[in-house]
Amino acid sequence: MSNPFAGIRWIWKNGQLIDFEKATVHVLSHALHYGSGVFEGIRCYDTRQGPAVFRLAEHLRRLENSAKAYRMPIAFSADELAEACCETIRANELQACYIRPIVFRGYGTMGLFPLDAPVDVTIAVWEWGSYLGDEGKANGIRAKVSSWRRISHDSLIPHAKATGQYLNSILAKIESHKAGYEEAILLDDKGYVCEGSGENIFVVRDGRLITPGQTASILDGINRKSIIQIARDLGFEVVERDLARAELYLADEVFVSGTAAELTPLRKLDDHAIGDGRPGEITRAVQAAFEDALHGRSERYREWLDPVPVQSAAPQVA
Ligand code: PMP
């Protein structure tokens, strides 16, 4: 497998750009032992106006909220982190990339009480194609309902994008992969449909879009929110409600959404073909409008894209 990070020279760490090779952590870092980190996945697109980041402020707000949920003070404001993301993209001379900020408990203490451990912040960027493949985006993927249930509100914080919580996604992802599928769909603790291992889910039935709501243990996806708005703007009804597993199999169309996967249709779920086994009309209409928004081709959603300024006010190279 080729190294996705080849060519990346700079990583932002605690206020400075440092050499890629020096961006390492100690084996006794708290987050390595206990999963005590929170992170974001953000994308920058190569638009006609230059590189632009999709809904950067909202991703950074979710990062702050995830950190707050786990009582991790971040030493940088959202504005400083936004500037740091842009600085890292510029330094690595990328036009389009994936952006991965992470806030984690670092080196200094051990044991479960985390509040004395330092909180480190890093931002990395790299070029990353569509997570579930271009072919999957065009023709749909095959997914499997996982035997693993999504983490629930009574033991963890589904709204937080926390590193340790992803062991749940990893179990589901491995299971689906070993069974020959491209993605896993997790049910929540009550047996209702929740989301993919790293995406939210939408079902189309009788011309309406249905997606699980805020109390369904979902991660409150930024692309989910964007797609709800786009679908409504296109004149479709969107309902947020509990979704029974059977509705997946009875659906006319199903798709997942996320920063990495963007909008990817499902063509098969377990051994059921969805619709006629090809992405449906509503999925394709919403996907086309969404892709236009992501790539800066849509005037209507231009405000969702933050252009990466050509130069920073103050270069931060260490
Ligand atoms: N659910 C999970 C578990 C995820 O990891 C992601 C990706 N961040 C999503 C949903 C989709 O969120 P977003 O649209 O903000 O990327």
Side-chain angles (χ1 to χ4, degrees):
M1 206 198 250
S2 65
N3 176 5
F5 311 123
I8 303 299
R9 290 187 53 213
W10 301 102
I11 303 252
W12 188 94
K13 185 176 182 195
N14 294 335
Q16 284 184 327
L17 287 171
I18 59 168
D19 200 88
F20 182 91
E21 305 299 333
K22 295 192 180 131
T24 55
V25 293
H26 198 279
V27 293
L28 292 175
S29 297
H30 196 273
L32 189 60
H33 295 252
Y34 303 119
S36 47
V38 296
F39 68 107
E40 270 305 315
I42 313 171
R43 270 194 195 271
C44 171
Y45 290 91
D46 185 9
T47 75
R48 248 173 283 156
Q49 282 74 37
V53 183
F54 189 67
R55 307 198 85 162
L56 178 58
E58 287 174 63
H59 278 284
L60 295 175
R61 194 171 318 128
R62 187 169 67 187
L63 183 70
E64 284 186 332
N65 285 337
S66 299
K68 194 167 148 195
Y70 280 103
R71 318 278 178 129
M72 299 167 73
I74 306 181
F76 303 93
S77 68
D79 284 349
E80 286 169 327
L81 292 179
E83 169 53 24
C85 288
C86 293
E87 189 69 37
T88 316
I89 295 167
R90 266 196 307 268
N92 287 291
E93 297 175 10
L94 293 170
Q95 300 299 309
C97 60
Y98 185 83
I99 310 165
R100 170 57 60 80
I102 182 167
V103 176
F104 61 98
R105 293 219 172 257
Y107 169 84
T109 66
M110 201 43 82
L112 287 173
F113 181 75
L115 302 188
D116 297 329
V119 174
D120 289 323
V121 188
T122 68
I123 301 170
V125 297
W126 66 91
E127 283 178 308
W128 208 7
S130 43
Y131 177 63
L132 296 170
D134 287 336
E135 168 18 61
K137 266 177 74 176
N139 299 320
I141 57 158
R142 295 164 60 248
K144 175 182 167 27
V145 173
S146 180
S147 69
W148 297 100
R149 296 288 175 91
R150 163 86 173 151
I151 54 165
S152 67
H153 297 282
D154 52 9
S155 55
L156 280 167
I157 309 173
H159 273 80
K161 197 168 165 62
T163 60
Q165 299 188 166
Y166 275 81
L167 284 173
N168 175 241
S169 297
I170 285 172
L171 285 171
K173 189 79 183 174
I174 292 173
E175 182 188 60
S176 66
H177 181 84
K178 286 196 175 292
Y181 293 85
E182 285 103 62
E183 188 50 294
I185 304 299
L186 287 86
L187 307 179
D188 68 14
D189 58 329
K190 298 184 196 71
Y192 296 124
V193 177
C194 186
E195 60 180 15
S197 68
E199 308 87 22
N200 295 110
I201 190 163
F202 289 81
V203 157
V204 179
R205 292 192 74 197
D206 302 325
R208 279 196 324 179
L209 287 89
I210 309 161
T211 190
Q214 294 292 318
T215 54
S217 300
I218 61 168
L219 180 74
D220 188 9
I222 287 155
N223 295 277
R224 171 186 180 277
K225 186 157 100 180
S226 311
I227 284 166
I228 290 174
Q229 185 172 337
I230 287 172
R232 287 186 176 144
D233 289 346
L234 288 172
F236 298 113
E237 189 186 344
V238 184
V239 186
E240 294 178 63
R241 67 156 172 83
D242 288 345
L243 198 57
R245 177 173 181 170
E247 291 183 274
L248 290 175
Y249 306 128
L250 300 173
D252 302 315
E253 307 177 24
V254 182
F255 63 84
V256 292
S257 70
T259 298
E262 297 167 327
L263 191 160
T264 300
L266 265 58
R267 64 182 166 86
K268 211 165 183 197
L269 197 61
D270 297 333
D271 57 349
H272 299 258
I274 295 166
D276 64 1
R278 281 175 304 187
E281 244 173 67
I282 294 179
T283 300
R284 277 191 278 116
V286 175
Q287 187 184 36
F290 179 58
E291 286 284 326
D292 283 347
L294 295 178
H295 292 273
R297 297 188 294 259
S298 166
E299 209 44 60
R300 187 170 198 170
Y301 306 114
R302 183 60 48 83
E303 66 186 32
W304 288 348
L305 285 166
D306 281 322
V308 177
V310 178
Q311 265 203 323
S312 75
Q316 297 177 322
V317 176

